[in-house]
Amino acid sequence: MREVWLIKADASGLISIGLLDGSTGHFDIPDDVDLAQYPLVDVSAEPDNGNPAHSGNSIVRGELHAT
């Protein structure tokens, strides 16, 4: 499984915004999330083990540019 996360610049906070199925996806950002506080987006490889936390296995991470 691949999961998409928003991450604070200092990595002190993470928010899962959903699973990535295929090579592209569309994700709704909750209204109460301030994207200025979460400038990074991360896609992680997640085992199917029921643990909702980030596995620590990032496939790709980059800067998020909100428009």
Side-chain angles (χ1 to χ4, degrees):
M1 262 188 322
R2 290 171 295 158
E3 191 162 0
V4 180
W5 304 82
L6 298 176
I7 304 178
K8 289 188 174 184
D10 64 0
S12 67
L14 293 90
I15 297 173
S16 171
I17 57 172
L19 298 176
L20 179 61
D21 184 26
S23 60
T24 63
H26 176 85
F27 301 93
D28 294 321
I29 309 300
D31 290 337
D32 62 340
V33 173
D34 178 4
L35 289 179
Q37 297 294 313
Y38 293 87
L40 302 173
V41 63
D42 178 275
V43 177
S44 65
E46 297 294 330
D48 190 12
N49 62 4
N51 182 348
H54 191 292
S55 67
N57 186 7
S58 293
I59 298 168
V60 65
R61 181 178 291 181
E63 195 172 330
L64 178 66
H65 296 281
T67 55

